[in-house]
Amino acid sequence: MSPDKTRKPDLLLWEETIFKDRDLFELDHLPEHFLHRESQMNSLKFCIRPALQGGRPVNALCLGPPGTGKTTAIFKLFEEIESHSSRIVPVHINCQMDSTRYSVFYQIYKKLFQHAPPSSGISFKRLFEKVAQESADREMVIVVALDDINYLFHEKEVDHVLYSLLRAHETCPGARMAVIGIMSELSLNYVLDPRVVSVFQPEEISFPPYSRAEIKDILGRRVQMGFYPGVMAEEVLQEVVDCTERYGDLRVGIDLLKRSGLSAEKRASRSISSADVAGSCDRSRLIHLTYALKSLKEDERLVLRLAAEKKSWRAGELFARFHEQCGAGYTRFHEILNKLDSIRLINADFSGEGERGRSRVISVRYDPEELISRLGEDA
Ligand SMILES: Nc1ncnc2c1ncn2[C@@H]1O[C@H](COP(=O)(O)OP(=O)(O)OP(=O)(O)O)[C@@H](O)[C@H]1O
Ligand SMILES: [Mg+2]
């Protein structure tokens, strides 16, 4: 009997796949269609525009929770700049990797000269002069995106970086540089040096979490382009959207599409079922946890760790424990609760009860043991 006759039509042959384009489900994939970020893209372009006419760009600061498209917006902007202008040199710096003034300028040098600085070692002063002089000589504007700029907050490194970039023209007339800061924070808590503030007055561009309809649109587009037709039914997509919305991070949805696709293939199925999604959601949401934890400061981690010690806390009790451990006041505690709530690490709902009016009840949104162990891992 030939294998074809025994094959059920809904089963995949071993060499077949439901993925039309696997790359679309990788987190570093730059999407062709960047939906629902038109206004942010317009603001960014508006900041850069003066440079096209030989002027100085406006500095910008992109703010928003994890997985809201900030890094993607910068990559899209830079792609466009590079295809339209040779007078602007965009440089993307991942501050988690390059977190000193020296390494930031090292990367700029590399981009500008298309090769690394001499390996014999070069002082910061020399590195800086070369970069600034090149910008002046070739009449180029260097636009530096400092992604996850909070990684420069240690030892005032951010002041050194911004100062060097934005006052370069004072020591090297004609040099032009602009900065786009990117942060998954709601407000810039760091107090910049006054000499930096006078030159860095950024246009703030906000990246709010995507609404449910927007999440559905974005993930629906990936499904359409990344899977063969009929692989994911509308109701199943809804379930992926549900899981994504719960964590507010688009990475959860993209990862979930991939994992549930792999789960369907494992069963040799031509379509993804609700069970494939339900079985993968738990793993995909940890992606959000990993990214969300990286944006936390020490006192924020403390509140989260304490919150995970009990199933639920009254805000007042949790504050007492927090205050006992680090001495910080209620205003800061309140700020932290709001942040942890907004990036969906905790629930902080009003109970409607309480002796002195309404009080908030705090609980963590992840398995407490998982949370505590992850907090320990990257401490
Ligand atoms: N509007 C969108 N359309 C299509 N894909 C998107 C959109 N926004 C985000 N994504 C996808 O979601 C993922 C996360 O986006 P991105 O890395 O830009 O988030 P981010 O805001 O920089 O997050 P973080 O603060 O954690 O660095 C990426 O894989 C990106 O392709
Ligand atoms: Mg990012």
Side-chain angles (χ1 to χ4, degrees):
M1 207 188 295
S2 89
D4 271 348
K5 288 194 183 136
T6 57
R7 176 166 76 90
K8 291 188 198 149
D10 59 338
L11 283 189
L12 279 179
L13 291 177
W14 72 270
E15 78 279 15
E16 287 182 317
T17 174
I18 57 175
F19 291 95
K20 188 160 68 183
D21 186 349
R22 279 176 197 276
D23 287 349
L24 295 196
F25 303 105
E26 295 305 324
L27 293 174
D28 58 2
H29 167 79
L30 187 61
E32 188 185 341
H33 305 277
F34 187 40
L35 305 170
H36 304 296
R37 285 303 185 220
E38 292 82 7
S39 91
Q40 287 79 359
M41 288 305 293
N42 284 337
S43 304
L44 281 168
K45 285 183 208 163
F46 187 78
C47 290
I48 298 301
R49 196 183 303 155
L52 293 170
Q53 286 116 32
R56 185 183 303 280
V58 175
N59 298 310
L61 187 62
C62 298
L63 296 169
T68 50
K70 301 179 298 296
T71 299
T72 309
I74 298 302
F75 284 148
K76 291 298 257 187
L77 176 76
F78 282 9
E79 205 178 53
E80 210 164 309
I81 291 176
E82 287 189 318
S83 69
H84 281 93
S85 164
S86 49
R87 297 184 69 178
I88 308 179
V89 181
V91 189
H92 177 263
I93 307 280
N94 175 349
C95 298
Q96 225 180 327
M97 315 261 289
D98 294 302
S99 61
T100 63
R101 176 174 69 160
Y102 190 90
S103 55
V104 169
F105 273 82
Y106 187 95
Q107 294 301 339
I108 301 173
Y109 182 106
K110 242 168 88 176
K111 180 77 186 265
L112 212 53
F113 295 95
Q114 316 261 311
H115 61 80
S119 54
S120 55
I122 173 171
S123 68
F124 173 75
K125 188 164 174 287
R126 193 83 193 99
L127 198 56
F128 170 79
E129 282 166 1
K130 285 238 178 213
V131 165
Q133 198 57 53
E134 186 74 357
S135 157
D137 291 350
R138 285 166 54 193
E139 293 185 12
M140 284 184 318
V141 183
I142 303 174
V143 176
V144 183
L146 299 170
D147 203 343
D148 287 329
I149 193 172
N150 45 301
Y151 283 94
L152 297 178
F153 288 180
H154 64 94
E155 290 167 29
K156 298 193 166 293
E157 208 58 33
V158 68
D159 289 323
H160 301 313
V161 171
L162 293 176
Y163 190 89
S164 308
L165 287 169
L166 299 173
R167 306 194 80 143
H169 60 281
E170 292 176 5
T171 44
C172 180
R176 268 175 306 152
M177 304 193 199
V179 168
I180 304 177
I182 299 144
M183 214 166 48
S184 48
E185 280 282 334
L186 304 176
S187 62
L188 186 65
N189 287 335
Y190 184 89
V191 180
L192 291 170
D193 186 293
R195 288 172 308 161
V196 172
V197 173
S198 68
V199 284
F200 184 60
Q201 282 164 353
E203 177 81 15
E204 286 196 9
I205 305 176
S206 142
F207 286 69
Y210 293 111
S211 70
R212 190 184 163 78
E214 290 171 341
I215 293 174
K216 172 141 188 274
D217 236 20
I218 296 168
L219 294 180
R221 185 71 64 106
R222 293 268 170 135
V223 166
Q224 206 183 13
M225 306 199 32
F227 290 126
Y228 284 107
V231 166
M232 183 167 269
E234 175 72 18
E235 341 49 282
V236 181
L237 173 60
Q238 285 293 352
E239 286 157 19
V240 176
V241 173
D242 285 342
C243 179
T244 312
E245 194 192 14
R246 233 171 286 145
Y247 302 98
D249 183 335
L250 214 50
R251 288 190 185 91
V252 173
I254 295 169
D255 189 67
L256 184 51
L257 291 177
K258 173 167 120 181
R259 281 180 200 276
S260 49
L262 292 173
S263 155
E265 282 198 339
K266 210 166 165 191
R267 301 184 292 112
S269 167
R270 289 179 182 277
S271 61
I272 299 171
S273 69
S274 295
D276 291 318
V277 173
S280 311
C281 183
D282 249 12
R283 287 224 57 81
S284 295
R285 70 197 188 114
L286 293 179
I287 277 229
H288 168 67
L289 182 58
T290 309
Y291 277 90
L293 289 184
K294 83 173 185 177
S295 75
L296 299 186
K297 298 196 185 70
E298 212 34 60
D299 53 357
E300 295 163 344
R301 300 169 77 91
L302 174 62
V303 171
L304 191 61
R305 197 174 310 119
L306 293 173
E309 286 174 5
K310 247 172 65 169
K311 195 155 170 286
S312 78
W313 290 86
R314 293 213 165 269
E317 292 170 329
L318 185 59
F319 170 65
R321 286 277 285 131
F322 170 69
H323 180 72
E324 186 185 292
Q325 298 233 346
C326 75
Y330 195 81
T331 314
R332 176 66 190 137
F333 175 71
H334 185 72
E335 246 173 45
I336 297 176
L337 282 192
N338 286 345
K339 174 170 175 184
L340 296 178
D341 188 20
S342 77
I343 60 175
R344 292 168 162 89
L345 289 172
I346 62 166
N347 281 311
D349 297 327
F350 285 101
S351 65
E353 298 162 18
E355 287 156 26
R356 282 156 294 162
R358 302 192 315 151
S359 79
R360 289 213 276 184
V361 176
I362 316 298
S363 58
V364 294
R365 281 179 175 244
Y366 289 85
D367 171 45
E369 276 179 29
E370 176 87 53
L371 200 58
I372 290 171
S373 94
R374 288 200 176 224
L375 275 166
E377 264 170 32
D378 50 35

